[in-house]
Amino acid sequence: MLADQPIHEPVLLDRVLALFAPALAERPAVLVDATVGLGGHADALLSAHPALTLVGLDRDQRALAESTDRLARHGDRVHLVHAVYDQMPEVLTDLGYPAVDGVLFDLGVSSMQLDVAERGFAYARDAPLDMRMDQTAGKTAADVLNTYPVEDLARILRDYGEERFAGRIARAVVHERTREPFATSERLVRLLYDTVPAASRRTGGHPAKRTFQALRIEVNGELTALRGALPAALAALRVGGRIVVESYQSLEDRLVKQAFAELARSRTPPGLPVELPGHGPQLRLLTRGAEQADEDEIERNPRAASVRLRAAERTAAAS
């Protein structure tokens, strides 16, 4: 285990276990944990279902090392793979699983990534502007800040951070980088304090929150990967299989809501007296809207404050 690394409580663990139980209980089953992280959800699911085989994916090699240690006691029921979740079809093909009984996504930045200062995810501590979940490949947040044209910077701040002052911030970044390239988070945070109007800072939370979210999403291609991963995960579910997704910001949750809604509605033209074969709903929604953590859990585990959980069950094969 990493030095000084606490054991983090998985978000909405009891609810996740309850939602998956009908699809996994008392029989051999396969579940994909698409964001295995430190292995908290995976460990609990494997312990609850002795016949379960778990495929765990993560792009973060440090997280995989942690989950490998944590899940070792479950032996050959665990297959951990260094992969982004949109690579799920290739991983399942390689492992010989044409269909699965469950898929879990616990999206966003992990507690470990936030807690390790040198990863650069947290704006509260000065650190190199990295923000890569997979530190073996790809551009860093510093690369984005120092090379993107002002129009592209404004676009990602607006689209991925929902930042009202995207244009103003982008222009300030481009001006400042001509003097000296950005390298650490402290300098960026100072620029944001100077650029975001004081009135907005008083009511809109920390002025760096939205910019750091936008940079992280851009660096890791999170929304692009999720757009590819959701249809693949839904296609992999056998009838009776279940999918549970925990999102931590509105952009992710919107994609999940849309993907579920698309398969949960009938495609029979309105006005016909009977359901056309192969045109009925393929999913049954298991949650009324998005579920949130209660106050007790948020007090124990502040990361749960922003969670939005949605779940669905496959009721018919893909047509």
Side-chain angles (χ1 to χ4, degrees), residues 78-114:
V78 179
H79 305 280
L80 298 181
V81 183
H82 180 225
V84 185
Y85 35 70
D86 62 352
Q87 298 171 290
M88 190 184 307
E90 294 88 343
V91 171
L92 292 176
T93 297
D94 290 346
L95 292 173
Y97 297 122
V100 300
D101 302 277
V103 180
L104 171 65
F105 289 88
D106 185 11
L107 298 169
V109 63
S110 74
S111 299
M112 183 197 73
Q113 289 160 343
L114 286 171

Side-chain angles (χ1 to χ4, degrees), residues 129 141-157 165-182 187-188 191-192 195 211 215:
L129 283 164
D143 294 331
V144 173
L145 289 167
N146 292 324
T147 65
Y148 276 32
V150 65
E151 296 84 1
D152 288 344
L153 282 175
R155 173 185 53 78
I156 68 166
L157 294 175
F165 304 103
R168 183 184 297 192
I169 293 169
R171 290 189 294 273
V173 166
V174 170
H175 175 76
E176 278 296 302
R177 77 190 188 193
T178 61
R179 186 171 62 83
E180 180 185 353
F182 284 88
R187 182 171 169 229
L188 177 59
L191 177 143
L192 293 167
T195 305
T211 292
L215 289 171

